[in-house]
Amino acid sequence: MKLDENLVDAAKALLVTRYGDTGWGGAAAMYTAAGTVLTSVFVEALSESAGLCIETGAIAEAHKLNEPVTASACVVRDDDSPVIRVIASCGSCQERLRFWGPDVEVAVPDDQTPTGWRAYRLGSLQPHWWGMAYGAR
């Protein structure tokens, strides 16, 4: 399935459900090839180094279900703002998503509007991905 507003809305809905209407929050939503929507939130830990990215839970669920991820969207809301924004996957999560190939779509902020977004394929975000040196796609 292709990245669309429904996927972004699923991430926003989870953010509000999990964190309420105010304050910091972050959530992710992913489509799998089967059309399943997987969601997850940041895994907090006392030690920052033990925390897990917003997308990690959904990525692990996709592996558990053996369903390839086709699209991913992450959203955050800052402590001092009611605005929910799309953010790009971090480098670690881009690496995790790359398991399913360069055509996985990722939502990235649209620089024309603070709440807008665009879809990019991982291959466009990582045109010189290290795995290509070993024949990976």
Side-chain angles (χ1 to χ4, degrees), residues 1-4 7 29-32 68-73 97 104-106:
M1 295 202 51
K2 297 277 188 193
L3 182 58
D4 61 14
L7 191 65
M30 297 180 186
Y31 282 137
T32 69
V69 171
T70 60
S72 181
L97 291 167
V104 173
E105 291 183 316
V106 177

Side-chain angles (χ1 to χ4, degrees), residues 3-14:
L3 182 58
D4 61 14
E5 194 67 39
N6 290 329
L7 191 65
V8 174
D9 287 347
K12 289 178 180 179
L14 176 59

Side-chain angles (χ1 to χ4, degrees), residues 105-124:
E105 291 183 316
V106 177
V108 300
D110 182 348
D111 52 3
Q112 302 299 315
T113 173
T115 58
W117 60 273
R118 294 183 285 167
Y120 275 88
R121 290 190 170 132
L122 283 176
S124 296

Side-chain angles (χ1 to χ4, degrees), residues 74-128:
C74 290
V75 297
V76 297
R77 183 182 58 217
D78 295 326
D79 281 330
D80 57 352
S81 174
V83 176
I84 297 174
R85 297 177 290 118
V86 168
I87 60 169
S89 302
C90 73
S92 293
C93 285
Q94 286 182 31
E95 183 68 25
R96 292 173 183 132
L97 291 167
R98 189 69 185 236
F99 175 81
W100 292 287
D103 293 329
V104 173
E105 291 183 316
V106 177
V108 300
D110 182 348
D111 52 3
Q112 302 299 315
T113 173
T115 58
W117 60 273
R118 294 183 285 167
Y120 275 88
R121 290 190 170 132
L122 283 176
S124 296
L125 290 176
Q126 303 175 325
H128 306 287

Side-chain angles (χ1 to χ4, degrees), residues 8-28:
V8 174
D9 287 347
K12 289 178 180 179
L14 176 59
L15 185 152
V16 172
T17 298
R18 169 62 177 83
Y19 297 99
D21 292 321
T22 60
W24 185 90

